[in-house]
């Protein structure tokens, strides 16, 4: 990358996937998924009350199976918070950075923000009558998935420009909040903000209660994520680092507003994550968590700070409870949140911890039932 | 401004002044100033112990004279922190933003960072033998003030490029820290980091102790300011919003580094301050403090949030203890930290508070003696 201001497409900017994405989309199965979701939900309520809540009281990482990943976290935190130890780190330098898509919440079959963009085309259509016969909007409006699958970057740029700019930041935040209230994930048929990983929420709280300042460092939109980060993760807007588009200060009827322009400003992905961490935080993370090649440089940058630090990668290897994709370790390939073999190799070489969702997490979502073989601490 | 990425010169980016600045520079008078500084320093020690410390214990704003400015601050803070009142604001939304140059520390006769750039040309000269006969460096190396006064923007861009880029962020931070240890202000003959306004330090602490999160929002360099913000103001690096140059993630002998490129990235000045506040904080300030036309939009943006908010402008009208410049209110004109009549008028119209350094502050610096007619609280 020639620098953070290199010419990236608007598509890359917002973490929205390339033209081949839709070919990999699973078919919707709304009814079956709704039924499964409801059953899980009810079962979850009962079991949560009976056992999981009690677990959580005793074990702040109750959704993690005992194993190397969990032990690595606990050892690290104990070590850097032990004021009498040689590896003690002052609270002000306890910075932990988390990727969002695929690390804190579900990113398949398509990034949440891409779904927002597509849905928003439908919402805006009545005020754009020409869209019905104008590509790429016509394909979206007629739900022509084959055509959508063939969208190129220029198409996606038009979609993002039409759905993410041309309004004030306040208006945009309002649109995102409204959408999140009603939108449902096509597979789980639940609000996107409930599709957050319970083990990662526990990890956030565990770090926060140990004096860490937790940040989201996402390739997705900074403003988009800020609308729910505090409610969902306990991470306030000022601790969300993300991609952004150009905004312009202007006067509107005697009142200033920040107008969102159809042009990328900062791409917080890949090497941009290291740049963004330095730009927005000005401190090196002590711990960093990701799940895909877009997080590689964030983990490298963290580790290069020296001393005891923690780098972890979530691997999606649980097709039964969530999704399975890599292509590392023989998992199915994907264009969304790719975990390539080269990243796995780098993790091995650098002793980064790879978290197996299947083996390391006894629960994926807070609404899901805890496993029958509960990891009750002795 | 066509947007924050509009083509600004590197000079504007780093808050470094235009070509006409040096004409307004006061002549150095090192010996006399050093003597005055020492006398003040010793007198200050004695009087500080005798009275000022006792004042500070009783009155968190002891360096402020009783008057409308001080009362405005106290009333505002009491109002937004009174949980039983109608104007209560949750701690998470108590955001206060402070301009730095001329608001928190001295900006005359020239911005501190501009002095750093000029000094650094001298430091780098031995490794750039061609500079002795190459403009603009030759003029700096021969201390040719007339020539320096004629520097145009292209000259300043070369100076900034040569002194602020071409090294890693870590190397740059080290250079700034080293320079601050030895550099002395030409008038006061003291380290720049001691030339901070005691009343504003008290205000920062007062706000912090009332649950405010305090930010620096400076037109100057973000990295430059981060090197001392925590020590000097109690403001950590992640709460410094400023101008920045492009940085690039790269590999150096197997270790990643962030290389500073000779290209502006974000200009945090004027309308850019409103943009920067939204970008870095994502919340509207509840209180904002500035001193020049570069702070106009920050105050407008703050006030436009509605409800009870606080906007204040420091006016440099104290030639005896610091400097006097405007040109508002008939004060001498300046190119550095201009407070034009139009800003004064806007302040009057919008009921922003203008702080008179001469009348509202009984002490300017912590090293200066408190006034003989001390404002002891009853």
């Amino acid at each position: 990358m020639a620098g953070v201001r290199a010419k990236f497409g608007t598509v890359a900017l917002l973490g929205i996937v390339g033209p081949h994405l839709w070919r990999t989309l699973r078919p919707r199965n709304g009814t079956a998924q709704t039924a499964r979701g409801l059953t899980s939900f009810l079962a979850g309520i009962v079991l949560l009350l009976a056992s999981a809540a009690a677990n959580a009281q005793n074990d702040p990482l109750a959704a993690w199976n005992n194993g190397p990943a969990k032990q690595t976290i606990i050892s690290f935190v104990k070590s850097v918070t032990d004021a009498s130890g040689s590896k003690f780190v002052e609270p002000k330098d306890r910075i932990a950075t988390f990727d969002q898509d695929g690390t804190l919440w579900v990113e398949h079959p398509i990034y949440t923000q891409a779904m927002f963009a597509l849905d928003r085309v439908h919402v805006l259509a009545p005020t754009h009558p020409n869209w019905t016969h104008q590509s790429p909007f016509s394909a979206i409006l007629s739900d022509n998935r084959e055509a959508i699958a063939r969208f190129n970057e220029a198409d996606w740029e038009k979609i993002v420009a039409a759905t993410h700019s041309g309004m004030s930041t306040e208006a945009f935040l309002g649109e995102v909040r409204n959408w999140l209230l009603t939108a449902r994930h096509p597979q789980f048929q639940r609000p996107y903000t409930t599709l957050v990983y319970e083990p990662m929420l526990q990890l956030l709280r565990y770090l926060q209660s140990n004096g860490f300042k937790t940040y989201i460092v996402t390739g997705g939109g900074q403003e988009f994520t800020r609308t729910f980060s505090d409610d969902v993760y306990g991470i306030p807007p000022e601790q969300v680092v993300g991609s952004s588009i150009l905004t312009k200060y202007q006067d509107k009827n005697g009142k200033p507003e920040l107008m969102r322009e159809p042009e990328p400003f900062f791409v917080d992905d890949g090497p941009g994550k290291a740049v963004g961490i330095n730009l927005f935080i000005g401190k090196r993370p002590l711990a960093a968590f990701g799940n895909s090649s877009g997080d590689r440089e964030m983990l490298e940058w963290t580790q290069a700070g020296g001393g005891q630090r923690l780098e972890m990668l979530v691997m999606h290897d649980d097709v039964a409870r969530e999704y399975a994709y890599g292509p590392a370790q023989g998992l199915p390939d994907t264009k969304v949140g790719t975990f390539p073999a080269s990243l796995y190799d780098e993790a091995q070489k650098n002793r980064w911890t790879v978290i197996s969702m299947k083996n390391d997490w006894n629960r994926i979502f807070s609404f899901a039932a805890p496993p029958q073989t509960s990891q009750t601490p002795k």
Side-chain angles (χ1 to χ4, degrees), chain A residues 298-320:
Chain A
M298 174 167 74
L299 270 62
E300 289 174 350
W301 179 244
T302 298
Q303 186 167 40
Q308 188 168 19
R309 294 178 196 257
L310 179 64
E311 303 84 19
M312 303 188 96
L313 289 168
V314 175
M315 171 163 279
H316 294 258
D317 58 359
D318 194 332
V319 75

Tab-separated table of all heavy atoms in Angstrom, chain A residues 298-320:
chain	number	residue	atom	x	y	z
A	298	MET	N	-2.099	-5.207	12.145
A	298	MET	CA	-2.426	-4.775	13.510
A	298	MET	C	-1.711	-5.673	14.526
A	298	MET	O	-1.147	-5.190	15.517
A	298	MET	CB	-3.939	-4.814	13.743
A	298	MET	CG	-4.347	-4.507	15.182
A	298	MET	SD	-6.115	-4.188	15.384
A	298	MET	CE	-6.799	-5.852	15.210
A	299	LEU	N	-1.709	-6.980	14.246
A	299	LEU	CA	-1.052	-7.907	15.163
A	299	LEU	C	0.472	-7.781	15.081
A	299	LEU	O	1.166	-7.833	16.105
A	299	LEU	CB	-1.504	-9.352	14.887
A	299	LEU	CG	-2.740	-9.797	15.690
A	299	LEU	CD1	-3.961	-8.970	15.355
A	299	LEU	CD2	-3.025	-11.276	15.512
A	300	GLU	N	0.976	-7.592	13.874
A	300	GLU	CA	2.427	-7.392	13.720
A	300	GLU	C	2.876	-6.149	14.488
A	300	GLU	O	3.878	-6.152	15.189
A	300	GLU	CB	2.784	-7.208	12.233
A	300	GLU	CG	2.657	-8.457	11.394
A	300	GLU	CD	2.897	-8.166	9.904
A	300	GLU	OE1	2.967	-6.971	9.539
A	300	GLU	OE2	2.964	-9.132	9.119
A	301	TRP	N	2.129	-5.075	14.310
A	301	TRP	CA	2.463	-3.796	14.937
A	301	TRP	C	2.422	-3.918	16.468
A	301	TRP	O	3.271	-3.371	17.176
A	301	TRP	CB	1.489	-2.727	14.444
A	301	TRP	CG	1.690	-1.362	15.014
A	301	TRP	CD1	0.824	-0.672	15.806
A	301	TRP	CD2	2.824	-0.505	14.827
A	301	TRP	NE1	1.354	0.554	16.125
A	301	TRP	CE2	2.580	0.683	15.547
A	301	TRP	CE3	4.034	-0.645	14.133
A	301	TRP	CZ2	3.486	1.743	15.589
A	301	TRP	CZ3	4.941	0.409	14.174
A	301	TRP	CH2	4.668	1.579	14.894
A	302	THR	N	1.438	-4.670	16.948
A	302	THR	CA	1.313	-4.890	18.388
A	302	THR	C	2.530	-5.645	18.903
A	302	THR	O	3.199	-5.209	19.841
A	302	THR	CB	0.020	-5.680	18.676
A	302	THR	OG1	-1.093	-4.891	18.237
A	302	THR	CG2	-0.123	-6.002	20.148
A	303	GLN	N	2.830	-6.751	18.262
A	303	GLN	CA	3.934	-7.593	18.724
A	303	GLN	C	5.279	-6.867	18.656
A	303	GLN	O	6.131	-7.043	19.515
A	303	GLN	CB	3.989	-8.873	17.884
A	303	GLN	CG	5.011	-9.887	18.389
A	303	GLN	CD	4.814	-11.243	17.751
A	303	GLN	OE1	4.532	-11.353	16.571
A	303	GLN	NE2	4.953	-12.293	18.537
A	304	ALA	N	5.443	-6.036	17.632
A	304	ALA	CA	6.722	-5.338	17.447
A	304	ALA	C	7.008	-4.345	18.571
A	304	ALA	O	8.119	-3.831	18.684
A	304	ALA	CB	6.733	-4.621	16.091
A	305	GLY	N	6.002	-4.083	19.414
A	305	GLY	CA	6.231	-3.206	20.559
A	305	GLY	C	7.128	-3.839	21.612
A	305	GLY	O	7.639	-3.151	22.490
A	306	GLY	N	7.315	-5.150	21.516
A	306	GLY	CA	8.210	-5.839	22.435
A	306	GLY	C	7.576	-6.077	23.794
A	306	GLY	O	6.474	-5.623	24.079
A	307	GLY	N	8.295	-6.798	24.647
A	307	GLY	CA	7.780	-7.136	25.965
A	307	GLY	C	6.625	-8.110	25.861
A	307	GLY	O	6.387	-8.689	24.801
A	308	GLN	N	5.897	-8.283	26.962
A	308	GLN	CA	4.792	-9.234	26.920
A	308	GLN	C	3.557	-8.582	26.317
A	308	GLN	O	3.025	-7.607	26.841
A	308	GLN	CB	4.474	-9.744	28.322
A	308	GLN	CG	3.448	-10.874	28.245
A	308	GLN	CD	3.289	-11.616	29.549
A	308	GLN	OE1	3.662	-11.123	30.607
A	308	GLN	NE2	2.721	-12.807	29.477
A	309	ARG	N	3.109	-9.126	25.223
A	309	ARG	CA	1.890	-8.658	24.566
A	309	ARG	C	1.072	-9.870	24.137
A	309	ARG	O	1.557	-10.998	24.184
A	309	ARG	CB	2.241	-7.772	23.361
A	309	ARG	CG	2.922	-6.469	23.808
A	309	ARG	CD	3.349	-5.560	22.686
A	309	ARG	NE	4.286	-4.572	23.190
A	309	ARG	CZ	3.992	-3.297	23.453
A	309	ARG	NH1	2.784	-2.847	23.229
A	309	ARG	NH2	4.894	-2.462	23.935
A	310	LEU	N	-0.148	-9.598	23.722
A	310	LEU	CA	-1.049	-10.695	23.366
A	310	LEU	C	-1.621	-10.460	21.977
A	310	LEU	O	-2.144	-9.396	21.695
A	310	LEU	CB	-2.179	-10.779	24.405
A	310	LEU	CG	-3.252	-11.848	24.194
A	310	LEU	CD1	-2.649	-13.253	24.275
A	310	LEU	CD2	-4.366	-11.693	25.241
A	311	GLU	N	-1.489	-11.454	21.110
A	311	GLU	CA	-2.068	-11.379	19.768
A	311	GLU	C	-2.912	-12.632	19.551
A	311	GLU	O	-2.426	-13.735	19.753
A	311	GLU	CB	-0.963	-11.321	18.696
A	311	GLU	CG	0.031	-10.175	18.858
A	311	GLU	CD	1.158	-10.500	19.821
A	311	GLU	OE1	1.383	-11.708	20.090
A	311	GLU	OE2	1.811	-9.574	20.336
A	312	MET	N	-4.157	-12.445	19.150
A	312	MET	CA	-5.050	-13.587	18.953
A	312	MET	C	-5.866	-13.431	17.672
A	312	MET	O	-6.235	-12.318	17.299
A	312	MET	CB	-6.014	-13.717	20.144
A	312	MET	CG	-5.315	-13.867	21.485
A	312	MET	SD	-6.471	-14.241	22.864
A	312	MET	CE	-6.341	-16.031	22.947
A	313	LEU	N	-6.149	-14.584	17.046
A	313	LEU	CA	-6.962	-14.612	15.823
A	313	LEU	C	-8.100	-15.605	15.999
A	313	LEU	O	-7.869	-16.761	16.373
A	313	LEU	CB	-6.107	-15.036	14.621
A	313	LEU	CG	-5.071	-14.035	14.099
A	313	LEU	CD1	-4.133	-14.727	13.109
A	313	LEU	CD2	-5.759	-12.835	13.444
A	314	VAL	N	-9.307	-15.149	15.746
A	314	VAL	CA	-10.470	-16.035	15.801
A	314	VAL	C	-10.555	-16.808	14.490
A	314	VAL	O	-10.520	-16.207	13.407
A	314	VAL	CB	-11.767	-15.225	16.006
A	314	VAL	CG1	-12.992	-16.139	15.930
A	314	VAL	CG2	-11.722	-14.464	17.328
A	315	MET	N	-10.662	-18.127	14.592
A	315	MET	CA	-10.844	-18.943	13.386
A	315	MET	C	-12.271	-19.488	13.343
A	315	MET	O	-12.739	-20.104	14.312
A	315	MET	CB	-9.836	-20.093	13.391
A	315	MET	CG	-10.101	-21.103	12.296
A	315	MET	SD	-8.664	-22.161	12.014
A	315	MET	CE	-7.692	-21.088	10.970
A	316	HIS	N	-12.922	-19.239	12.228
A	316	HIS	CA	-14.315	-19.660	12.065
A	316	HIS	C	-14.358	-21.097	11.559
A	316	HIS	O	-14.322	-21.330	10.357
A	316	HIS	CB	-15.049	-18.709	11.110
A	316	HIS	CG	-15.180	-17.325	11.668
A	316	HIS	ND1	-16.341	-16.852	12.214
A	316	HIS	CD2	-14.263	-16.336	11.810
A	316	HIS	CE1	-16.154	-15.619	12.660
A	316	HIS	NE2	-14.899	-15.275	12.417
A	317	ASP	N	-14.414	-22.034	12.479
A	317	ASP	CA	-14.364	-23.457	12.120
A	317	ASP	C	-15.564	-24.200	12.704
A	317	ASP	O	-15.478	-25.381	12.991
A	317	ASP	CB	-13.049	-24.071	12.615
A	317	ASP	CG	-12.867	-23.917	14.130
A	317	ASP	OD1	-13.759	-23.319	14.780
A	317	ASP	OD2	-11.849	-24.390	14.653
A	318	ASP	N	-16.664	-23.478	12.884
A	318	ASP	CA	-17.817	-24.085	13.548
A	318	ASP	C	-19.062	-23.940	12.679
A	318	ASP	O	-19.900	-23.063	12.893
A	318	ASP	CB	-18.016	-23.409	14.909
A	318	ASP	CG	-18.961	-24.211	15.796
A	318	ASP	OD1	-19.833	-24.913	15.243
A	318	ASP	OD2	-18.812	-24.124	17.013
A	319	VAL	N	-19.160	-24.823	11.687
A	319	VAL	CA	-20.273	-24.728	10.743
A	319	VAL	C	-21.609	-25.041	11.420
A	319	VAL	O	-22.659	-24.571	10.988
A	319	VAL	CB	-20.012	-25.640	9.515
A	319	VAL	CG1	-20.226	-27.108	9.882
A	319	VAL	CG2	-20.878	-25.236	8.331
A	320	ALA	N	-21.563	-25.774	12.507
A	320	ALA	CA	-22.816	-26.137	13.185
A	320	ALA	C	-23.410	-24.941	13.926
A	320	ALA	O	-24.613	-24.702	13.891
A	320	ALA	CB	-22.569	-27.291	14.166
